[in-house]
Amino acid sequence: MVPEKLTFSPLSRRQIEADFSGGHITSDAGLLLLRKVDKQHRLTHRLASALHDPRTPEQVRHKLDTLVRQRVFGVAAGYEDFNDHDALRYDQALQTALGEEETLAGKSTLCRIEQNADRQAMVKAHELLWHHFIEQHDEPPKEIVLDFDGTDIPVHGEQPGKFFNRYYDHHCYFPLYVFCGRHLLVSYLRTSDRSDSRHSWAILALLVRFIRQYWPDTQIVLRGDSHFCRPRMLNWCDRHHVDYIVGIGKNSRLLKEVDVPMMLVRKTQWQVGGKVAGTFRFQYQAHSWKYPRWVVARLEEGERGSNPRFIISSRYDDGFKLYYEQYCARGDMENRIKDQQLSLFADRTSSTHWWANQWRLILSGFAYTLFERLRTYLKSTSFARMSPSNLRLKLIKVGAVIIRNTRRVRVLMSDSYPYKTALSDLVRRLVPS
């Protein structure tokens, strides 16, 4: 059959024609990089072990670990919906990355597997993230900082646990994230009708208990905003020798404590102009506390007036260091959350099953972890600090012709691919000769 020709407006005297006779061409040749990373760390294989597979073995066409890998690789490549896989299942780059030679699963099969997720699967999936975190260290670190924070996921349909949140001014979920540096440890879906610290104390206790099984001498630090300044949480940290640096909301007593130093900052601002800031440390005991704790006040005066902020720390240290070097560093976690929400589709919680939505959050987390493991081979390169969306654009979204026969699979990329030198170096690191 002669392929249909498509004719475009000419370029000078030359006719521009196109047809569909180019063979199998993919836009995702870079998935082979994630395949190698995944084989080294066995992330998707271990994630599949968390799911229960009720299918009759004799009638299974697509193995469970292949289905999980298909979804994680799909998210990493920018395909957030099940519907995408009805066409993506024929892509030979994805088939090769999954270790398959035949057509992959469609949206219905993937959806049915998602519905098997339950609470026990979520617990196992998080334990896998924690084990993987431990494995990435050759020796126990002297100190680790656990960053806690929540964010919103808008809910537009009739998903379970749908509530209106006054702060965000829409119906939403309110997932809790925990990171240690760039390592994702917790991606926990919550409803938005409770306080921001809901379940955070229990999750902290589980995490600390798990980490100390392997690193008993490592100092653990809790870091979070004022939503995590809860007496029960702080008391537990004190009893279990966990340090903390958390924000505390303003109140009249705190503001009265900093009246004098705030006047000095204001006077300096009048003299020098511009914005002036300083820190002031003092002891403070809230009515719900059994004993006083150290508070660091960040006192700032600018054109818009005074802007004091307060943090509590279990550490007696220089106020400037505690606030600016240690507490403000938690802002980097917000970039990690953006990676999850904006680049890896953690906000696609549109299922009518609660645990299916939590499973999608986990899939996004494992796709993020794959990119982080890929990033370890990109040190000292321009890719080292790129977001997952940029890594996807430059290293995963690579056009190529794929030719398969009985002896080999050839992936023919363009000789004008702008990052071919970097890609060649990366492949040599991943597959040493």
Side-chain angles (χ1 to χ4, degrees), residues 136-170:
Q136 300 315 299
H137 295 78
D138 295 328
E139 57 184 29
K142 293 182 179 179
E143 178 180 288
I144 60 172
V145 179
L146 301 179
D147 282 309
F148 279 63
D149 203 359
T151 189
D152 67 310
I153 294 180
V155 175
H156 305 289
E158 296 303 322
Q159 293 97 314
K162 171 183 174 182
F163 290 97
F164 184 84
N165 187 282
R166 292 180 61 188
Y167 178 81
Y168 292 106
D169 197 30
H170 57 220

Side-chain angles (χ1 to χ4, degrees), residues 413-429:
M413 292 174 279
S414 170
D415 61 358
S416 60
Y417 169 55
Y419 307 105
K420 60 183 179 182
T421 301
L423 183 62
S424 299
D425 292 340
L426 177 56
V427 172
R428 280 192 285 269
R429 295 191 191 104

Side-chain angles (χ1 to χ4, degrees), residues 171-363:
H171 291 84
C172 61
Y173 289 142
F174 194 72
L176 173 69
Y177 287 98
V178 181
F179 285 85
C180 181
R182 299 189 70 98
H183 296 274
L184 173 66
L185 299 179
V186 174
S187 182
Y188 175 65
L189 193 65
R190 303 177 297 179
T191 58
S192 62
D193 61 327
R194 306 284 184 88
S195 68
D196 294 352
S197 63
R198 181 188 181 191
H199 295 165
S200 56
W201 167 79
I203 288 173
L204 175 65
L206 289 171
L207 257 175
V208 170
R209 188 180 306 123
F210 179 88
I211 292 170
R212 284 182 172 167
Q213 289 178 0
Y214 299 90
W215 300 337
D217 299 324
T218 296
Q219 182 59 45
I220 300 174
V221 182
L222 163 68
R223 185 164 59 189
D225 60 21
S226 59
H227 298 129
F228 300 95
C229 181
R230 296 290 185 267
R232 185 180 185 186
M233 202 163 184
L234 300 182
N235 291 338
W236 186 92
C237 288
D238 289 333
R239 292 197 308 271
H240 293 83
H241 308 291
V242 174
D243 282 337
Y244 48 85
I245 305 174
V246 296
I248 181 173
K250 303 175 188 176
N251 60 51
S252 58
R253 289 179 58 204
L254 287 172
L255 292 173
K256 186 176 181 180
E257 289 280 355
V258 298
D259 271 347
V260 173
M262 193 71 236
M263 289 176 59
L264 296 176
V265 171
R266 191 175 297 116
K267 181 178 180 181
T268 304
Q269 194 273 335
W270 290 341
Q271 294 172 346
V272 303
K275 184 183 291 185
V276 175
T279 59
F280 177 66
R281 185 178 53 202
F282 59 95
Q283 283 201 316
Y284 168 80
Q285 182 175 357
H287 295 304
S288 57
W289 298 355
K290 296 180 180 179
Y291 42 83
R293 292 184 168 93
W294 284 105
V295 171
V296 174
R298 191 287 312 266
L299 308 176
E300 183 180 273
E301 185 75 23
E303 295 179 356
R304 298 185 178 182
S306 303
N307 183 25
R309 299 287 181 90
F310 301 90
I311 64 170
I312 304 172
S313 177
S314 60
R315 298 177 161 185
Y316 183 83
D317 207 340
D318 176 70
F320 184 92
K321 181 179 178 181
L322 280 172
Y323 187 87
Y324 286 101
E325 295 183 14
Q326 298 183 30
Y327 179 73
C328 288
R330 65 175 295 275
D332 190 54
M333 182 194 182
E334 296 181 4
N335 294 325
R336 308 287 77 78
I337 294 178
K338 289 178 182 177
D339 291 341
Q340 296 276 289
Q341 304 281 99
L342 303 180
S343 302
L344 297 169
F345 319 112
D347 60 345
R348 300 294 293 183
T349 53
S350 55
S351 175
T352 56
H353 297 266
W354 174 266
W355 292 114
N357 287 325
Q358 170 68 86
W359 179 250
R360 294 181 184 185
L361 217 60
I362 289 293
L363 290 176

